[in-house]
Amino acid sequence: MTKLLMSTALALSFALPATAATVADGDELAETQEYNFWLLDAIKTTDPQLNTDVEGSDVLRQLFEGLMNEDLQGGMVPGVATDYEVSEDGLTYTFNLRPEAKWSNGEPVTAQDFIYGWQRAVDPANASEYAWFIELMNVVNASEIVNGEAELDTLGATAIDDNTLEVKLTKPTPYFIKMLSHPTTFPVLKSVVDEHGDDWTQAGNLVGNGAYVLTDHDLGVQITMEKNPEYWDADSVILEKLNGITVNDINVALTRYQSGELDRVDIPAGQYPRLKEEYPEEAYSLPYACSYAYLVNLSDKGREELQDPNIRRALTLGLDRDIIVEQVLQGGQRPAYNWTHWAMEGFEMPEIEMASMSQEDRVAEAKRLLEEAGFGPDNPLNLTLNYNTSEDHKKIAVVAQQMWKPLGVNLTLNNMEWKVHTDRMQEQDFELARYAWCADYNEASTFLDYFRSTGSNYGEFNNADYDALLDEAVTSENPNEQYTQAEQILAQELPLIPIYHYAQVDMIKPYVKGLPFDNVMNSWYGKDMYIAAE
């Protein structure tokens, strides 16, 4: 093995140290090193293999550490892995794990802990929504295990010894390394799960290997994490405590930010221009790899009328995205006529016919399509839109309701809490559903794979040509060719109504340092941050 790896032309190693908090010249540290950040919703789980939420991922990056981390610019840097080597055929990766890595109970982190975590993700018994992520990594036998056709121990991950993990892929996957900072790939200590069962993620039970330990979790109120003295790089960690505070009303959250209770909060729709003028050092608008859309339920449980692509096209044409972005949101977001966020690394934005039309022409075409289907103001199409609690989601939904009304579409708005909303989407219990997808890694496939027939794909879009294009893209010399064709299929079939591409629009206290302003993924690590004295 050693000889083979030393001879490979593609062998890579990381000579640079992992990132850590670095105090800038001129900064003095505040006496209290606590960071209080805003959460819109409750953290549904702190189980790395069961989490599906962006905010949950933010918490998990503090409690656990994967093979790789992201630096402030989004580059991949060593986590538990100190380096890796890849075989000439691109099918075998060998990771060397740092021997000083420990769990928060003092036990060493081993290659077997990663294997256990990955097996938990694909184990049908756990019904992980992110089982597909291990499939997308193209790990040997991942799909067979997910489908119940192979045993867990056949997954293509092997512990050569405690500190050496070998991973075998079914096909070369250029973005494989980028996927290894995602929580689904984090290790888990089996003895803790065996001891506590479903309660292993509770504060007091959870054993992690991240820079912080979970000390308190009042569901839907607050989650608290404190510095982990067993973390292998604890001496470089400056922040002592992280507090995630849940506030469902974003305007109330802004008030609590202004009173000093929160150090960071999203800016409510429409308020960025004013806040930027009043607080130029605190208001930020940066590209953020998420796309906002209304999903269409194309499953057998969906509305019959929405199975007609012309109806979906009429709904899509009928929304004036410029008004939504420029008059409602006002935070640097961009109108979306496709699914993949424009800022993804290497992505070439495809030409979408709808994007080049005037809004007047779009509305005229929408009316024509609805009339052909037998709908109009005198015989309206009645639809229901589900959305989770948020004043911003409500504002956009009300605008959509007003824009569709003259076309002959009566939209009923159905608000619910996030957990109920996601449960209903997972059960295909909706007609139209507010949704956003945030990149799992910085490559266009993280968006496009969502609509695979085997993807998360709550609306159950199914197109064999689309799947084939994404299969082909993995090994393509220029995957943008396949991505462009895939986006064209989405633009024709419209399993979604794209609305806008996100910007990260935040208020951040000037004393908070070490946030990844240059990382479109917005993956932040408390271990890289500090609070400067004011």
Side-chain angles (χ1 to χ4, degrees):
M1 174 63 72
T2 301
K3 183 177 180 180
L4 171 64
L5 293 173
M6 291 180 64
S7 67
T8 175
L10 296 178
L12 299 174
S13 64
F14 292 88
L16 297 172
T19 57
T22 303
V23 180
D25 291 341
D27 277 354
E28 293 185 10
L29 294 177
E31 183 175 344
T32 300
Q33 290 295 320
E34 291 187 17
Y35 174 55
N36 302 299
F37 60 99
W38 171 68
L39 298 169
L40 174 63
D41 297 295
I43 299 297
K44 291 171 61 178
T45 180
T46 50
D47 185 324
Q49 280 77 45
L50 298 185
N51 172 66
T52 60
D53 302 338
V54 172
E55 290 181 334
S57 294
D58 288 341
V59 168
L60 287 166
R61 276 193 302 275
Q62 321 312 322
L63 300 175
F64 296 85
E65 185 169 69
L67 294 169
M68 307 295 290
N69 292 328
E70 297 170 45
D71 65 18
L72 297 181
Q73 291 73 41
M76 304 307 293
V77 294
V80 174
T82 57
D83 56 74
Y84 70 89
E85 295 163 321
V86 55
S87 62
E88 287 186 62
D89 61 8
L91 297 179
T92 302
Y93 284 74
T94 304
F95 296 91
N96 294 310
L97 311 188
R98 60 181 76 251
E100 68 271 30
K102 293 181 180 177
W103 293 99
S104 54
N105 65 359
E107 294 185 30
V109 177
T110 68
Q112 189 58 47
D113 299 329
F114 280 91
I115 294 170
Y116 177 62
W118 293 20
Q119 288 180 347
R120 291 184 76 243
V122 296
D123 187 348
N126 291 326
S128 169
E129 286 187 61
Y130 259 70
W132 72 305
F133 191 78
I134 305 294
E135 295 183 82
L136 293 176
M137 292 164 65
N138 296 309
V139 178
V140 165
N141 280 335
S143 295
E144 289 79 359
I145 296 170
V146 170
N147 294 326
E149 299 166 355
E151 299 297 322
L152 282 177
D153 59 7
T154 65
L155 186 68
T158 303
I160 303 302
D161 56 41
D162 282 352
N163 297 313
T164 310
L165 174 67
E166 180 186 83
V167 180
K168 289 190 174 296
L169 308 183
T170 57
K171 63 180 73 171
T173 307
Y175 43 83
F176 174 71
I177 291 297
K178 290 184 177 182
M179 304 178 83
L180 298 179
S181 61
H182 192 274
T184 302
T185 69
F186 288 172
V188 168
L189 189 56
K190 183 175 184 298
S191 61
V192 176
V193 180
D194 289 343
E195 179 181 357
H196 298 289
D198 291 341
D199 292 332
W200 79 274
T201 57
Q202 301 300 309
N205 295 341
L206 191 148
V207 174
N209 70 323
Y212 296 88
V213 293
L214 180 64
T215 54
D216 187 53
H217 189 189
D218 188 354
L219 187 67
V221 179
Q222 181 165 322
I223 187 165
T224 301
M225 298 164 279
E226 298 185 34
K227 183 175 175 179
N228 174 14
E230 297 290 345
Y231 180 59
W232 66 271
D233 198 23
D235 289 346
S236 300
V237 177
I238 297 174
L239 277 181
E240 295 286 341
K241 183 185 286 188
L242 313 174
N243 295 308
I245 300 169
T246 302
V247 185
N248 293 135
D249 188 323
I250 192 171
N251 291 292
V252 173
L254 178 61
T255 299
R256 292 171 70 169
Y257 168 87
Q258 291 174 317
S259 72
E261 186 180 347
L262 292 164
D263 298 319
R264 178 178 183 171
V265 67
D266 280 11
I267 293 176
Q271 298 197 41
Y272 175 72
R274 174 183 66 81
L275 290 168
K276 184 63 177 175
E277 184 173 350
E278 294 178 5
Y279 306 96
E281 302 300 319
E282 300 181 42
Y284 289 86
S285 175
L286 302 166
Y288 182 31
C290 303
S291 294
Y292 192 105
Y294 290 157
L295 293 182
V296 183
N297 186 354
L298 300 179
S299 75
D300 293 341
K301 298 179 182 178
R303 281 284 298 272
E304 180 181 353
E305 294 88 340
L306 291 174
Q307 307 301 315
D308 181 350
N310 283 338
I311 295 287
R312 304 196 293 272
R313 180 170 172 79
L315 295 173
T316 306
L317 289 163
L319 289 184
D320 189 335
R321 291 154 181 78
D322 291 334
I323 288 178
I324 292 172
V325 167
E326 295 172 7
Q327 298 183 27
V328 179
L329 298 173
Q330 301 184 57
Q333 298 86 354
R334 295 189 184 185
Y337 300 92
N338 74 309
W339 180 226
T340 305
H341 192 281
W342 62 270
M344 298 311 295
E345 189 171 65
F347 179 63
E348 296 174 2
M349 183 61 74
E351 292 186 7
I352 304 294
E353 179 191 5
M354 193 181 307
S356 62
M357 297 171 65
S358 68
Q359 189 57 34
E360 183 180 12
D361 288 345
R362 293 182 193 128
V363 170
E365 177 68 0
K367 286 181 177 177
R368 185 187 71 77
L369 292 169
L370 284 167
E371 286 173 1
E372 279 187 359
F375 298 105
D378 296 332
N379 181 35
L381 171 63
N382 297 311
L383 296 173
T384 298
L385 170 69
N386 291 356
Y387 71 98
N388 56 299
T389 301
S390 159
E391 281 301 307
D392 289 1
H393 300 331
K394 182 178 179 180
K395 285 181 179 177
I396 295 170
V398 168
V399 168
Q401 187 180 49
Q402 293 171 343
M403 289 177 174
W404 283 342
K405 181 75 174 178
L407 305 179
V409 178
N410 288 339
L411 188 66
T412 299
L413 306 185
N414 191 18
N415 171 229
M416 58 199 72
E417 295 304 310
W418 173 244
K419 184 179 186 310
V420 177
H421 184 55
T422 54
D423 287 347
R424 291 187 64 169
M425 285 192 292
Q426 290 163 17
E427 296 167 3
Q428 288 71 53
D429 183 13
F430 67 96
E431 296 176 7
L432 298 171
R434 198 289 314 177
Y435 194 60
W437 181 257
C438 294
D440 290 323
Y441 51 96
N442 193 356
E443 214 272 346
S445 58
T446 187
F447 282 90
L448 295 167
D449 281 330
Y450 176 87
F451 284 106
R452 278 180 182 267
S453 57
T454 55
S456 187
N457 194 8
Y458 292 142
E460 297 196 345
F461 172 65
N462 191 333
N463 184 298
D465 292 338
Y466 183 87
D467 290 351
L469 282 167
L470 295 185
D471 286 341
E472 186 181 340
V474 176
T475 54
S476 172
E477 291 186 3
N478 180 16
N480 274 308
E481 293 179 2
Q482 288 78 30
Y483 294 161
T484 294
Q485 294 177 60
E487 286 279 9
Q488 296 289 2
I489 290 176
L490 292 181
Q492 289 295 320
E493 297 295 323
L494 291 167
L496 76 158
I497 300 171
I499 299 178
Y500 70 88
H501 296 306
Y502 273 58
Q504 187 71 46
V505 192
D506 285 348
M507 292 293 286
I508 302 173
K509 297 293 185 183
Y511 52 70
V512 178
K513 306 292 185 179
L515 286 169
F517 293 120
D518 296 323
N519 182 358
V520 72
M521 300 291 294
N522 192 36
S523 300
W524 62 270
Y525 295 80
K527 69 180 183 62
D528 299 337
M529 298 169 56
Y530 64 91
I531 302 298
E534 295 185 81

